[in-house]
Amino acid sequence: MAPQDLIRARYGTLPFDPPEEIAPALAALLDRRVTRRYATRDVEEPLLDTILAAAQSAPSKSDLQQYSIVVTRDVAKIARVADWIGTMPWIKDAPVLLLFCGDMRRGQAACTLHGRAHANNNMDTFLNTAVDAALAMGMAMAAADAAGLGTCPISYVRSHIEKVGPLFRLPEAVYPVAGLTLGWPDGRAETTPRLPPAAVIHREAYDDAALPAAIEAYDALRTRQKPRYPEVHGPVPEGCTWSENAARQLSVPERFGFRAWLRLRGFTLD
């Protein structure tokens, strides 16, 4: 696709004129899609190892590499995660599930090895471990796309953290940031339009004066979706706009036990 077509597909309009030619790797990023349908084909181990090597090629705060990746091909384990979530049965079709974890444990072990006290069990370390894991997951997704594989991040593993943790034997100071399904796509998903740059990109200083108009235009662009939390907010037969669904979801407390679980598992979060 031409760069203009890629930008138009990503935003549903053409908010700026891209260069006439762009690198193939950049075009692939602009054209990426989430995969929720997987073919019955395995991911070969050498390819999987290479995808994981790409994940480990991500930048890391202070070169501390405070993340871990749990790999599972166990069909029963993947099915249990899908069943706990309940609304994503297609997870069971993915031949591989990756669990990207923030990991403070390795740094603690390094301190013990050299006879030093680990003095950074705090909120900043929690954020650094989460960002390290997220960067690694982003690199894994880009690598998978380049290889022709498909992925979908699963934040809902944190909604069942009290079960996901023991299932994957996560020790203290290690917690799940997100899961990632991985496999060969069965068909090609549609491109999901993103919010316009006017709502997200700020030049020189933060300025959201254009936000109301940008959201209104974005709601008009997107197809109405299945309403979130109908058991709380009531049904909407005609479907919800993007902003209404965002409001429905963000007005219901989610994962409010996450902090308590982290503290029980060794994070002080001071």
Side-chain angles (χ1 to χ4, degrees), residues 198-213:
V200 178
I201 309 301
H202 306 268
R203 308 286 183 179
E204 306 299 341
Y206 192 101
D207 180 4
D208 62 359
L211 185 58

Side-chain angles (χ1 to χ4, degrees), residues 81-102:
V81 173
D83 288 341
W84 289 334
I85 293 171
T87 57
M88 303 177 184
W90 48 266
I91 291 174
K92 298 178 183 180
D93 298 328
V96 180
L97 178 66
L98 305 177
L99 191 67
F100 287 80
C101 301

Side-chain angles (χ1 to χ4, degrees), residues 10-206:
R10 182 53 66 201
Y11 291 114
T13 183
L14 193 66
F16 63 89
D17 286 320
E20 292 185 6
E21 295 184 9
I22 59 176
L26 177 54
L29 290 173
L30 292 169
D31 195 35
R32 76 160 310 277
R33 293 109 189 274
V34 167
T35 298
R36 296 186 177 90
R37 293 177 56 193
Y38 295 95
T40 54
R41 176 184 170 188
D42 199 11
V43 178
E44 299 83 356
E45 198 68 19
L47 178 57
L48 176 58
D49 286 342
T50 305
I51 298 297
L52 295 172
Q56 284 196 261
S57 301
S60 169
K61 192 270 179 190
S62 298
D63 194 26
L64 293 174
Q65 305 175 62
Q66 297 179 102
Y67 67 94
S68 288
I69 308 169
V70 180
V71 182
T72 185
R73 295 177 177 272
D74 189 309
V75 174
K77 282 185 178 179
I78 295 173
R80 289 177 74 179
V81 173
D83 288 341
W84 289 334
I85 293 171
T87 57
M88 303 177 184
W90 48 266
I91 291 174
K92 298 178 183 180
D93 298 328
V96 180
L97 178 66
L98 305 177
L99 191 67
F100 287 80
C101 301
D103 190 331
M104 185 173 63
R105 184 181 181 88
R106 191 180 304 115
Q108 292 173 329
C111 286
T112 299
L113 179 64
H114 293 280
R116 300 185 183 277
H118 187 275
N120 282 280
N121 184 351
N122 51 31
M123 192 66 193
D124 187 60
T125 293
F126 169 74
L127 180 60
N128 288 331
T129 59
V131 171
D132 271 10
L135 288 170
M137 184 171 70
M139 288 287 279
M141 293 167 67
D145 286 345
L149 292 160
T151 60
C152 183
I154 311 292
S155 68
Y156 273 84
V157 295
R158 297 196 308 276
S159 297
H160 304 277
I161 197 168
E162 75 288 348
K163 293 180 281 192
V164 168
L167 179 66
F168 295 104
R169 296 203 298 273
L170 301 185
E172 285 199 1
V174 178
Y175 66 94
V177 173
L180 187 73
T181 52
L182 178 71
W184 298 101
D186 182 11
R188 187 163 169 78
E190 295 294 323
T191 301
T192 301
R194 293 305 193 209
L195 284 161
V200 178
I201 309 301
H202 306 268
R203 308 286 183 179
E204 306 299 341
Y206 192 101

Side-chain angles (χ1 to χ4, degrees), residues 237-255:
E238 69 276 18
C240 288
T241 63
W242 174 86
S243 64
E244 173 59 19
N245 252 348
R248 289 168 74 98
Q249 180 167 350
L250 294 173
S251 63
V252 176
E254 294 182 319
R255 302 165 193 158

